[in-house]
Amino acid sequence: MVDLVKFMLEGIVDDKDAIVVNVSEGEISITVAKDDMKKVIGRSGRTAKAIRTIVRVAAAKNGEKYNVNILEVQQ
């Protein structure tokens, strides 16, 4: 699942080295560069919703369930 999320994010963000994806107990946490946050969230949250939907469908196919959280970078 981590590979799927990284693959999607690499197509969206400019700073591919800043992508951090952590998985723990049914939760996927995404952290990207501060400048790329707007791109990941998208207009009215559409991109974030699409990422969550794709992860939910892929996880359901494997009999799993994940929540996706997009975390803000603390500087």
Side-chain angles (χ1 to χ4, degrees):
M1 197 60 57
V2 172
D3 295 333
L4 173 65
V5 174
K6 282 188 179 180
F7 177 75
M8 289 189 291
L9 292 174
E10 286 175 354
I12 297 170
V13 301
D14 292 329
D15 188 3
K16 293 168 182 32
D17 295 331
I19 298 172
V20 178
V21 179
N22 295 319
V23 178
S24 64
E25 298 181 18
E27 186 171 305
I28 298 175
S29 300
I30 299 171
T31 307
V32 294
K34 190 170 185 172
D35 295 337
D36 291 327
M37 282 298 289
K38 290 180 183 178
K39 293 179 182 179
V40 173
I41 294 172
R43 183 175 290 169
S44 300
R46 290 181 188 172
T47 306
K49 184 177 179 183
I51 291 170
R52 289 182 177 114
T53 301
I54 292 169
V55 168
R56 189 178 320 123
V57 170
K61 204 171 186 183
N62 295 331
E64 301 169 342
K65 187 174 181 180
Y66 289 104
N67 291 324
V68 178
N69 294 322
I70 302 170
L71 305 175
E72 188 173 348
V73 176
Q74 301 295 325
Q75 291 186 3

Short mmCIF file of all heavy atoms in Angstrom, two decimals:
data_model
loop_
_atom_site.label_atom_id
_atom_site.label_comp_id
_atom_site.label_asym_id
_atom_site.label_seq_id
_atom_site.Cartn_x
_atom_site.Cartn_y
_atom_site.Cartn_z
N MET A 1 0.82 -1.19 0.00
CA MET A 1 0.00 0.00 0.00
C MET A 1 0.87 1.26 0.00
O MET A 1 0.50 2.25 -0.59
CB MET A 1 -0.92 -0.03 1.22
CG MET A 1 -2.07 0.90 1.13
SD MET A 1 -3.21 0.66 -0.23
CE MET A 1 -3.74 -1.02 -0.03
N VAL A 2 2.01 1.18 0.67
CA VAL A 2 2.94 2.31 0.71
C VAL A 2 3.42 2.65 -0.69
O VAL A 2 3.49 3.82 -1.06
CB VAL A 2 4.13 2.00 1.64
CG1 VAL A 2 5.19 3.08 1.55
CG2 VAL A 2 3.66 1.83 3.07
N ASP A 3 3.71 1.62 -1.48
CA ASP A 3 4.19 1.86 -2.84
C ASP A 3 3.13 2.55 -3.69
O ASP A 3 3.45 3.42 -4.50
CB ASP A 3 4.60 0.54 -3.50
CG ASP A 3 5.80 -0.09 -2.82
OD1 ASP A 3 6.61 0.66 -2.23
OD2 ASP A 3 5.93 -1.32 -2.88
N LEU A 4 1.88 2.17 -3.52
CA LEU A 4 0.79 2.80 -4.26
C LEU A 4 0.68 4.28 -3.92
O LEU A 4 0.58 5.12 -4.81
CB LEU A 4 -0.54 2.09 -3.96
CG LEU A 4 -1.79 2.75 -4.53
CD1 LEU A 4 -1.77 2.72 -6.05
CD2 LEU A 4 -3.03 2.06 -3.99
N VAL A 5 0.72 4.60 -2.63
CA VAL A 5 0.59 5.99 -2.21
C VAL A 5 1.79 6.81 -2.71
O VAL A 5 1.62 7.92 -3.21
CB VAL A 5 0.45 6.08 -0.67
CG1 VAL A 5 0.48 7.52 -0.21
CG2 VAL A 5 -0.82 5.39 -0.22
N LYS A 6 3.00 6.26 -2.58
CA LYS A 6 4.19 6.98 -3.07
C LYS A 6 4.10 7.21 -4.57
O LYS A 6 4.45 8.28 -5.06
CB LYS A 6 5.46 6.21 -2.72
CG LYS A 6 5.89 6.37 -1.30
CD LYS A 6 7.23 5.75 -1.06
CE LYS A 6 7.66 5.94 0.37
NZ LYS A 6 8.98 5.35 0.63
N PHE A 7 3.63 6.21 -5.30
CA PHE A 7 3.49 6.35 -6.75
C PHE A 7 2.54 7.48 -7.11
O PHE A 7 2.83 8.30 -7.99
CB PHE A 7 2.99 5.02 -7.35
CG PHE A 7 2.76 5.08 -8.82
CD1 PHE A 7 3.82 5.07 -9.71
CD2 PHE A 7 1.48 5.15 -9.33
CE1 PHE A 7 3.61 5.13 -11.08
CE2 PHE A 7 1.25 5.20 -10.70
CZ PHE A 7 2.33 5.19 -11.58
N MET A 8 1.41 7.56 -6.42
CA MET A 8 0.44 8.63 -6.70
C MET A 8 1.03 9.99 -6.35
O MET A 8 0.89 10.95 -7.12
CB MET A 8 -0.85 8.41 -5.90
CG MET A 8 -1.67 7.26 -6.39
SD MET A 8 -3.29 7.17 -5.62
CE MET A 8 -2.86 6.71 -3.95
N LEU A 9 1.70 10.09 -5.21
CA LEU A 9 2.25 11.37 -4.77
C LEU A 9 3.39 11.85 -5.68
O LEU A 9 3.54 13.05 -5.90
CB LEU A 9 2.73 11.28 -3.34
CG LEU A 9 1.64 11.12 -2.29
CD1 LEU A 9 2.25 10.89 -0.92
CD2 LEU A 9 0.72 12.31 -2.28
N GLU A 10 4.19 10.93 -6.19
CA GLU A 10 5.30 11.32 -7.07
C GLU A 10 4.79 11.99 -8.34
O GLU A 10 5.48 12.82 -8.92
CB GLU A 10 6.15 10.10 -7.42
CG GLU A 10 7.02 9.65 -6.28
CD GLU A 10 7.79 8.37 -6.57
OE1 GLU A 10 7.55 7.75 -7.63
OE2 GLU A 10 8.60 7.99 -5.72
N GLY A 11 3.59 11.65 -8.77
CA GLY A 11 3.01 12.29 -9.94
C GLY A 11 2.42 13.66 -9.65
O GLY A 11 2.14 14.43 -10.57
N ILE A 12 2.24 13.98 -8.38
CA ILE A 12 1.58 15.23 -8.00
C ILE A 12 2.58 16.29 -7.56
O ILE A 12 2.47 17.45 -7.94
CB ILE A 12 0.56 14.97 -6.86
CG1 ILE A 12 -0.54 14.03 -7.35
CG2 ILE A 12 -0.03 16.27 -6.36
CD1 ILE A 12 -1.44 13.54 -6.25
N VAL A 13 3.54 15.92 -6.72
CA VAL A 13 4.42 16.90 -6.08
C VAL A 13 5.66 17.21 -6.92
O VAL A 13 6.01 16.47 -7.82
CB VAL A 13 4.86 16.42 -4.67
CG1 VAL A 13 3.66 16.19 -3.78
CG2 VAL A 13 5.70 15.17 -4.76
N ASP A 14 6.30 18.33 -6.59
CA ASP A 14 7.55 18.72 -7.25
C ASP A 14 8.76 18.15 -6.53
O ASP A 14 9.70 17.69 -7.16
CB ASP A 14 7.67 20.25 -7.29
CG ASP A 14 6.64 20.87 -8.22
OD1 ASP A 14 6.26 20.22 -9.22
OD2 ASP A 14 6.22 22.00 -7.95
N ASP A 15 8.75 18.16 -5.20
CA ASP A 15 9.88 17.68 -4.39
C ASP A 15 9.63 16.23 -3.99
O ASP A 15 9.08 15.94 -2.94
CB ASP A 15 10.04 18.56 -3.16
CG ASP A 15 11.30 18.25 -2.38
OD1 ASP A 15 12.09 17.39 -2.84
OD2 ASP A 15 11.50 18.87 -1.32
N LYS A 16 10.04 15.31 -4.86
CA LYS A 16 9.79 13.90 -4.65
C LYS A 16 10.60 13.32 -3.48
O LYS A 16 10.20 12.32 -2.89
CB LYS A 16 10.08 13.12 -5.92
CG LYS A 16 9.09 13.47 -7.03
CD LYS A 16 9.54 12.93 -8.35
CE LYS A 16 8.65 13.26 -9.51
NZ LYS A 16 7.93 14.48 -9.53
N ASP A 17 11.70 13.96 -3.12
CA ASP A 17 12.53 13.48 -2.01
C ASP A 17 11.90 13.77 -0.65
O ASP A 17 12.27 13.14 0.35
CB ASP A 17 13.92 14.12 -2.07
CG ASP A 17 14.68 13.69 -3.31
OD1 ASP A 17 14.44 12.57 -3.81
OD2 ASP A 17 15.51 14.48 -3.80
N ALA A 18 10.95 14.67 -0.60
CA ALA A 18 10.34 15.06 0.67
C ALA A 18 9.12 14.19 1.03
O ALA A 18 8.53 14.37 2.09
CB ALA A 18 9.93 16.52 0.63
N ILE A 19 8.77 13.24 0.17
CA ILE A 19 7.61 12.39 0.43
C ILE A 19 7.95 11.39 1.53
O ILE A 19 8.93 10.65 1.44
CB ILE A 19 7.18 11.63 -0.84
CG1 ILE A 19 6.76 12.59 -1.93
CG2 ILE A 19 6.06 10.64 -0.52
CD1 ILE A 19 6.51 11.93 -3.27
N VAL A 20 7.11 11.37 2.57
CA VAL A 20 7.26 10.40 3.65
C VAL A 20 5.89 9.74 3.87
O VAL A 20 4.91 10.43 4.10
CB VAL A 20 7.74 11.05 4.97
CG1 VAL A 20 7.82 10.03 6.08
CG2 VAL A 20 9.06 11.76 4.76
N VAL A 21 5.86 8.41 3.78
CA VAL A 21 4.62 7.67 3.98
C VAL A 21 4.86 6.66 5.10
O VAL A 21 5.75 5.82 5.01
CB VAL A 21 4.19 6.93 2.69
CG1 VAL A 21 2.91 6.16 2.93
CG2 VAL A 21 4.01 7.92 1.55
N ASN A 22 4.07 6.76 6.17
CA ASN A 22 4.17 5.84 7.30
C ASN A 22 2.86 5.09 7.45
O ASN A 22 1.79 5.67 7.32
CB ASN A 22 4.45 6.60 8.60
CG ASN A 22 5.80 7.27 8.58
OD1 ASN A 22 6.78 6.70 8.12
ND2 ASN A 22 5.86 8.49 9.07
N VAL A 23 2.98 3.79 7.76
CA VAL A 23 1.79 2.96 7.97
C VAL A 23 1.85 2.38 9.37
O VAL A 23 2.88 1.84 9.78
CB VAL A 23 1.74 1.81 6.94
CG1 VAL A 23 0.54 0.93 7.19
CG2 VAL A 23 1.72 2.35 5.54
N SER A 24 0.74 2.52 10.12
CA SER A 24 0.67 1.90 11.44
C SER A 24 -0.79 1.64 11.80
O SER A 24 -1.61 2.56 11.76
CB SER A 24 1.32 2.79 12.50
OG SER A 24 0.63 4.01 12.62
N GLU A 25 -1.10 0.41 12.09
CA GLU A 25 -2.41 0.00 12.58
C GLU A 25 -3.58 0.58 11.78
O GLU A 25 -4.45 1.25 12.33
CB GLU A 25 -2.56 0.36 14.06
CG GLU A 25 -1.57 -0.34 14.95
CD GLU A 25 -1.76 0.02 16.40
OE1 GLU A 25 -2.85 0.52 16.75
OE2 GLU A 25 -0.83 -0.21 17.17
N GLY A 26 -3.60 0.34 10.49
CA GLY A 26 -4.71 0.79 9.67
C GLY A 26 -4.73 2.26 9.35
O GLY A 26 -5.75 2.80 8.93
N GLU A 27 -3.61 2.93 9.55
CA GLU A 27 -3.54 4.36 9.27
C GLU A 27 -2.31 4.65 8.41
O GLU A 27 -1.21 4.21 8.72
CB GLU A 27 -3.45 5.14 10.58
CG GLU A 27 -3.52 6.62 10.39
CD GLU A 27 -3.64 7.35 11.71
OE1 GLU A 27 -4.56 7.04 12.47
OE2 GLU A 27 -2.79 8.22 11.95
N ILE A 28 -2.53 5.41 7.36
CA ILE A 28 -1.43 5.83 6.49
C ILE A 28 -1.26 7.33 6.67
O ILE A 28 -2.20 8.10 6.45
CB ILE A 28 -1.73 5.51 5.01
CG1 ILE A 28 -1.88 4.00 4.82
CG2 ILE A 28 -0.64 6.07 4.11
CD1 ILE A 28 -2.27 3.59 3.43
N SER A 29 -0.06 7.74 7.08
CA SER A 29 0.25 9.15 7.28
C SER A 29 1.15 9.63 6.15
O SER A 29 2.18 9.01 5.88
CB SER A 29 0.95 9.36 8.62
OG SER A 29 0.13 8.94 9.67
N ILE A 30 0.75 10.72 5.51
CA ILE A 30 1.50 11.28 4.39
C ILE A 30 2.07 12.62 4.81
O ILE A 30 1.36 13.46 5.35
CB ILE A 30 0.58 11.49 3.17
CG1 ILE A 30 -0.01 10.16 2.70
CG2 ILE A 30 1.33 12.18 2.05
CD1 ILE A 30 -1.09 10.33 1.66
N THR A 31 3.35 12.82 4.54
CA THR A 31 3.99 14.11 4.76
C THR A 31 4.72 14.49 3.48
O THR A 31 5.45 13.68 2.92
CB THR A 31 5.00 14.04 5.92
OG1 THR A 31 4.33 13.51 7.07
CG2 THR A 31 5.54 15.40 6.25
N VAL A 32 4.51 15.71 3.01
CA VAL A 32 5.19 16.22 1.82
C VAL A 32 5.77 17.59 2.15
O VAL A 32 5.51 18.15 3.21
CB VAL A 32 4.24 16.33 0.61
CG1 VAL A 32 3.77 14.96 0.16
CG2 VAL A 32 3.07 17.23 0.89
N ALA A 33 6.54 18.14 1.23
CA ALA A 33 7.11 19.47 1.42
C ALA A 33 5.99 20.50 1.57
O ALA A 33 4.90 20.35 1.03
CB ALA A 33 8.01 19.84 0.25
N LYS A 34 6.28 21.54 2.31
CA LYS A 34 5.27 22.57 2.60
C LYS A 34 4.73 23.20 1.32
O LYS A 34 3.55 23.50 1.22
CB LYS A 34 5.88 23.64 3.51
CG LYS A 34 4.87 24.60 4.06
CD LYS A 34 5.45 25.47 5.12
CE LYS A 34 4.37 26.33 5.73
NZ LYS A 34 4.84 27.06 6.90
N ASP A 35 5.59 23.39 0.32
CA ASP A 35 5.16 24.00 -0.94
C ASP A 35 4.22 23.09 -1.73
O ASP A 35 3.48 23.57 -2.58
CB ASP A 35 6.38 24.34 -1.80
CG ASP A 35 7.25 25.41 -1.17
OD1 ASP A 35 6.74 26.19 -0.34
OD2 ASP A 35 8.45 25.48 -1.52
N ASP A 36 4.27 21.79 -1.47
CA ASP A 36 3.45 20.84 -2.22
C ASP A 36 2.13 20.50 -1.54
O ASP A 36 1.32 19.76 -2.09
CB ASP A 36 4.24 19.54 -2.45
CG ASP A 36 5.39 19.73 -3.42
OD1 ASP A 36 5.25 20.56 -4.34
OD2 ASP A 36 6.42 19.06 -3.26
N MET A 37 1.89 21.03 -0.35
CA MET A 37 0.66 20.71 0.38
C MET A 37 -0.59 21.09 -0.42
O MET A 37 -1.56 20.33 -0.46
CB MET A 37 0.63 21.41 1.74
CG MET A 37 1.48 20.76 2.78
SD MET A 37 0.99 19.09 3.18
CE MET A 37 -0.53 19.40 4.05
N LYS A 38 -0.56 22.24 -1.07
CA LYS A 38 -1.71 22.68 -1.85
C LYS A 38 -2.01 21.71 -2.99
O LYS A 38 -3.16 21.46 -3.31
CB LYS A 38 -1.49 24.07 -2.41
CG LYS A 38 -1.50 25.16 -1.36
CD LYS A 38 -1.28 26.51 -1.98
CE LYS A 38 -1.20 27.59 -0.92
NZ LYS A 38 -0.94 28.91 -1.50
N LYS A 39 -0.97 21.17 -3.59
CA LYS A 39 -1.14 20.24 -4.70
C LYS A 39 -1.74 18.92 -4.21
O LYS A 39 -2.55 18.32 -4.90
CB LYS A 39 0.18 19.98 -5.39
CG LYS A 39 0.73 21.18 -6.11
CD LYS A 39 2.05 20.86 -6.75
CE LYS A 39 2.61 22.09 -7.42
NZ LYS A 39 3.90 21.84 -8.03
N VAL A 40 -1.31 18.46 -3.05
CA VAL A 40 -1.80 17.19 -2.52
C VAL A 40 -3.25 17.31 -2.07
O VAL A 40 -4.06 16.41 -2.28
CB VAL A 40 -0.90 16.69 -1.36
CG1 VAL A 40 -1.50 15.47 -0.70
CG2 VAL A 40 0.48 16.38 -1.88
N ILE A 41 -3.60 18.43 -1.47
CA ILE A 41 -4.98 18.63 -1.02
C ILE A 41 -5.89 18.93 -2.20
O ILE A 41 -6.98 18.40 -2.30
CB ILE A 41 -5.04 19.74 0.04
CG1 ILE A 41 -4.29 19.27 1.29
CG2 ILE A 41 -6.49 20.08 0.38
CD1 ILE A 41 -4.11 20.32 2.34
N GLY A 42 -5.43 19.76 -3.11
CA GLY A 42 -6.21 20.06 -4.31
C GLY A 42 -7.30 21.08 -4.06
O GLY A 42 -7.53 21.53 -2.94
N ARG A 43 -7.98 21.45 -5.11
CA ARG A 43 -9.06 22.43 -5.01
C ARG A 43 -10.24 21.81 -4.28
O ARG A 43 -10.76 20.77 -4.68
CB ARG A 43 -9.50 22.86 -6.41
CG ARG A 43 -10.55 23.93 -6.42
CD ARG A 43 -10.87 24.39 -7.79
NE ARG A 43 -9.73 25.15 -8.30
CZ ARG A 43 -9.59 25.52 -9.57
NH1 ARG A 43 -10.50 25.18 -10.45
NH2 ARG A 43 -8.54 26.20 -9.95
N SER A 44 -10.62 22.42 -3.19
CA SER A 44 -11.72 21.95 -2.33
C SER A 44 -11.50 20.54 -1.82
O SER A 44 -12.45 19.82 -1.53
CB SER A 44 -13.06 22.02 -3.07
OG SER A 44 -13.34 23.34 -3.46
N GLY A 45 -10.24 20.09 -1.75
CA GLY A 45 -9.93 18.77 -1.21
C GLY A 45 -10.17 17.62 -2.17
O GLY A 45 -10.19 16.47 -1.77
N ARG A 46 -10.33 17.91 -3.44
CA ARG A 46 -10.64 16.87 -4.42
C ARG A 46 -9.52 15.87 -4.59
O ARG A 46 -9.77 14.66 -4.69
CB ARG A 46 -10.98 17.49 -5.77
CG ARG A 46 -12.29 18.22 -5.77
CD ARG A 46 -12.58 18.79 -7.13
NE ARG A 46 -13.76 19.65 -7.05
CZ ARG A 46 -14.17 20.40 -8.04
NH1 ARG A 46 -13.51 20.41 -9.18
NH2 ARG A 46 -15.23 21.15 -7.89
N THR A 47 -8.28 16.33 -4.65
CA THR A 47 -7.15 15.43 -4.82
C THR A 47 -6.99 14.53 -3.60
O THR A 47 -6.77 13.32 -3.74
CB THR A 47 -5.86 16.22 -5.10
OG1 THR A 47 -6.08 17.10 -6.20
CG2 THR A 47 -4.71 15.30 -5.41
N ALA A 48 -7.10 15.10 -2.42
CA ALA A 48 -7.00 14.31 -1.19
C ALA A 48 -8.11 13.27 -1.13
O ALA A 48 -7.87 12.11 -0.75
CB ALA A 48 -7.06 15.22 0.03
N LYS A 49 -9.30 13.64 -1.53
CA LYS A 49 -10.43 12.71 -1.53
C LYS A 49 -10.18 11.57 -2.52
O LYS A 49 -10.47 10.41 -2.24
CB LYS A 49 -11.72 13.45 -1.88
CG LYS A 49 -12.94 12.59 -1.81
CD LYS A 49 -14.21 13.39 -2.07
CE LYS A 49 -15.42 12.48 -2.02
NZ LYS A 49 -16.65 13.20 -2.33
N ALA A 50 -9.61 11.90 -3.68
CA ALA A 50 -9.31 10.87 -4.68
C ALA A 50 -8.25 9.90 -4.17
O ALA A 50 -8.38 8.68 -4.37
CB ALA A 50 -8.84 11.53 -5.97
N ILE A 51 -7.22 10.42 -3.50
CA ILE A 51 -6.18 9.55 -2.93
C ILE A 51 -6.81 8.61 -1.90
O ILE A 51 -6.54 7.41 -1.89
CB ILE A 51 -5.05 10.40 -2.30
CG1 ILE A 51 -4.27 11.12 -3.38
CG2 ILE A 51 -4.12 9.52 -1.46
CD1 ILE A 51 -3.29 12.16 -2.86
N ARG A 52 -7.65 9.15 -1.04
CA ARG A 52 -8.31 8.32 -0.01
C ARG A 52 -9.19 7.25 -0.63
O ARG A 52 -9.24 6.12 -0.17
CB ARG A 52 -9.11 9.21 0.93
CG ARG A 52 -8.24 10.05 1.83
CD ARG A 52 -9.07 10.89 2.80
NE ARG A 52 -8.19 11.62 3.69
CZ ARG A 52 -8.07 12.94 3.72
NH1 ARG A 52 -8.78 13.69 2.90
NH2 ARG A 52 -7.24 13.52 4.57
N THR A 53 -9.90 7.61 -1.70
CA THR A 53 -10.78 6.65 -2.37
C THR A 53 -9.99 5.52 -3.00
O THR A 53 -10.34 4.34 -2.86
CB THR A 53 -11.63 7.36 -3.45
OG1 THR A 53 -12.40 8.39 -2.82
CG2 THR A 53 -12.56 6.38 -4.15
N ILE A 54 -8.89 5.85 -3.68
CA ILE A 54 -8.07 4.83 -4.31
C ILE A 54 -7.47 3.89 -3.28
O ILE A 54 -7.46 2.67 -3.45
CB ILE A 54 -6.97 5.49 -5.18
CG1 ILE A 54 -7.61 6.18 -6.39
CG2 ILE A 54 -5.94 4.46 -5.64
CD1 ILE A 54 -6.68 7.07 -7.16
N VAL A 55 -6.99 4.45 -2.17
CA VAL A 55 -6.42 3.62 -1.11
C VAL A 55 -7.50 2.72 -0.51
O VAL A 55 -7.27 1.53 -0.26
CB VAL A 55 -5.76 4.49 -0.02
CG1 VAL A 55 -5.42 3.67 1.21
CG2 VAL A 55 -4.51 5.15 -0.57
N ARG A 56 -8.69 3.26 -0.28
CA ARG A 56 -9.78 2.48 0.30
C ARG A 56 -10.15 1.30 -0.61
O ARG A 56 -10.34 0.18 -0.13
CB ARG A 56 -11.00 3.37 0.52
CG ARG A 56 -12.09 2.69 1.31
CD ARG A 56 -13.30 3.59 1.58
NE ARG A 56 -12.93 4.96 1.90
CZ ARG A 56 -13.36 6.03 1.23
NH1 ARG A 56 -14.16 5.90 0.21
NH2 ARG A 56 -12.97 7.23 1.58
N VAL A 57 -10.23 1.53 -1.92
CA VAL A 57 -10.59 0.48 -2.86
C VAL A 57 -9.49 -0.57 -2.94
O VAL A 57 -9.78 -1.78 -2.93
CB VAL A 57 -10.90 1.07 -4.25
CG1 VAL A 57 -11.03 -0.01 -5.29
CG2 VAL A 57 -12.16 1.92 -4.20
N ALA A 58 -8.24 -0.14 -3.03
CA ALA A 58 -7.12 -1.08 -3.11
C ALA A 58 -7.02 -1.91 -1.83
O ALA A 58 -6.74 -3.12 -1.88
CB ALA A 58 -5.82 -0.34 -3.36
N ALA A 59 -7.26 -1.30 -0.70
CA ALA A 59 -7.20 -2.02 0.58
C ALA A 59 -8.36 -3.01 0.68
O ALA A 59 -8.17 -4.14 1.15
CB ALA A 59 -7.23 -1.05 1.74
N ALA A 60 -9.54 -2.62 0.26
CA ALA A 60 -10.70 -3.50 0.32
C ALA A 60 -10.49 -4.74 -0.56
O ALA A 60 -10.96 -5.83 -0.22
CB ALA A 60 -11.96 -2.76 -0.11
N LYS A 61 -9.79 -4.56 -1.65
CA LYS A 61 -9.49 -5.68 -2.53
C LYS A 61 -8.65 -6.75 -1.81
O LYS A 61 -8.75 -7.93 -2.10
CB LYS A 61 -8.74 -5.15 -3.75
CG LYS A 61 -8.85 -6.00 -4.97
CD LYS A 61 -8.27 -5.27 -6.16
CE LYS A 61 -8.52 -6.07 -7.41
NZ LYS A 61 -7.94 -5.44 -8.57
N ASN A 62 -7.82 -6.30 -0.85
CA ASN A 62 -6.98 -7.21 -0.07
C ASN A 62 -7.60 -7.55 1.29
O ASN A 62 -6.96 -8.17 2.12
CB ASN A 62 -5.60 -6.57 0.17
CG ASN A 62 -4.83 -6.39 -1.11
OD1 ASN A 62 -5.00 -7.14 -2.06
ND2 ASN A 62 -4.00 -5.37 -1.15
N GLY A 63 -8.83 -7.10 1.52
CA GLY A 63 -9.50 -7.37 2.78
C GLY A 63 -8.97 -6.54 3.94
O GLY A 63 -9.08 -6.93 5.09
N GLU A 64 -8.41 -5.37 3.64
CA GLU A 64 -7.85 -4.49 4.66
C GLU A 64 -8.62 -3.18 4.68
O GLU A 64 -9.49 -2.93 3.83
CB GLU A 64 -6.38 -4.21 4.35
CG GLU A 64 -5.52 -5.45 4.30
CD GLU A 64 -4.13 -5.18 3.76
OE1 GLU A 64 -3.93 -4.12 3.12
OE2 GLU A 64 -3.25 -6.01 3.95
N LYS A 65 -8.32 -2.34 5.66
CA LYS A 65 -8.95 -1.03 5.75
C LYS A 65 -7.91 -0.03 6.26
O LYS A 65 -7.23 -0.28 7.24
CB LYS A 65 -10.14 -1.07 6.71
CG LYS A 65 -10.94 0.19 6.74
CD LYS A 65 -12.17 0.05 7.59
CE LYS A 65 -12.96 1.34 7.56
NZ LYS A 65 -14.16 1.26 8.38
N TYR A 66 -7.79 1.11 5.56
CA TYR A 66 -6.83 2.14 5.93
C TYR A 66 -7.50 3.51 5.94
O TYR A 66 -8.36 3.79 5.10
CB TYR A 66 -5.66 2.20 4.94
CG TYR A 66 -4.72 1.03 5.03
CD1 TYR A 66 -4.74 0.02 4.08
CD2 TYR A 66 -3.78 0.96 6.05
CE1 TYR A 66 -3.88 -1.05 4.16
CE2 TYR A 66 -2.91 -0.10 6.13
CZ TYR A 66 -2.96 -1.10 5.18
OH TYR A 66 -2.09 -2.15 5.27
N ASN A 67 -7.09 4.35 6.87
CA ASN A 67 -7.44 5.76 6.87
C ASN A 67 -6.20 6.52 6.42
O ASN A 67 -5.09 6.20 6.83
CB ASN A 67 -7.82 6.24 8.28
CG ASN A 67 -9.12 5.65 8.73
OD1 ASN A 67 -10.04 5.46 7.94
ND2 ASN A 67 -9.21 5.35 10.01
N VAL A 68 -6.39 7.53 5.58
CA VAL A 68 -5.27 8.32 5.08
C VAL A 68 -5.29 9.69 5.73
O VAL A 68 -6.30 10.40 5.68
CB VAL A 68 -5.34 8.46 3.54
CG1 VAL A 68 -4.21 9.32 3.03
CG2 VAL A 68 -5.32 7.10 2.87
N ASN A 69 -4.18 10.05 6.37
CA ASN A 69 -4.02 11.36 6.99
C ASN A 69 -2.90 12.13 6.29
O ASN A 69 -1.82 11.58 6.09
CB ASN A 69 -3.68 11.23 8.47
CG ASN A 69 -4.81 10.63 9.25
OD1 ASN A 69 -5.97 10.92 8.99
ND2 ASN A 69 -4.48 9.78 10.21
N ILE A 70 -3.18 13.37 5.94
CA ILE A 70 -2.17 14.22 5.32
C ILE A 70 -1.69 15.18 6.40
O ILE A 70 -2.46 16.01 6.88
CB ILE A 70 -2.75 14.97 4.12
CG1 ILE A 70 -3.28 13.96 3.10
CG2 ILE A 70 -1.69 15.88 3.50
CD1 ILE A 70 -4.09 14.57 1.98
N LEU A 71 -0.44 15.04 6.78
CA LEU A 71 0.11 15.80 7.88
C LEU A 71 0.88 17.01 7.39
O LEU A 71 1.56 16.94 6.36
CB LEU A 71 1.03 14.93 8.73
CG LEU A 71 0.41 13.64 9.26
CD1 LEU A 71 1.47 12.83 9.97
CD2 LEU A 71 -0.74 13.95 10.18
N GLU A 72 0.80 18.10 8.12
CA GLU A 72 1.52 19.31 7.79
C GLU A 72 2.95 19.21 8.30
O GLU A 72 3.20 18.71 9.40
CB GLU A 72 0.83 20.52 8.42
CG GLU A 72 1.40 21.83 7.98
CD GLU A 72 0.57 22.99 8.50
OE1 GLU A 72 -0.53 22.77 9.00
OE2 GLU A 72 1.07 24.12 8.39
N VAL A 73 3.89 19.68 7.53
CA VAL A 73 5.30 19.65 7.91
C VAL A 73 5.55 20.67 9.01
O VAL A 73 5.16 21.83 8.88
CB VAL A 73 6.20 19.95 6.70
CG1 VAL A 73 7.66 20.01 7.11
CG2 VAL A 73 6.00 18.93 5.62
N GLN A 74 6.18 20.25 10.09
CA GLN A 74 6.53 21.15 11.18
C GLN A 74 7.96 21.63 10.97
O GLN A 74 8.87 20.82 10.85
CB GLN A 74 6.43 20.44 12.53
CG GLN A 74 5.05 19.90 12.82
CD GLN A 74 4.02 21.00 12.97
OE1 GLN A 74 4.34 22.06 13.48
NE2 GLN A 74 2.80 20.73 12.54
N GLN A 75 8.15 22.95 10.92
CA GLN A 75 9.51 23.45 10.69
C GLN A 75 10.00 24.23 11.87
O GLN A 75 9.39 24.83 12.62
CB GLN A 75 9.55 24.34 9.47
CG GLN A 75 9.33 23.53 8.22
CD GLN A 75 9.50 24.38 6.97
OE1 GLN A 75 9.83 25.56 7.03
NE2 GLN A 75 9.28 23.78 5.83
#
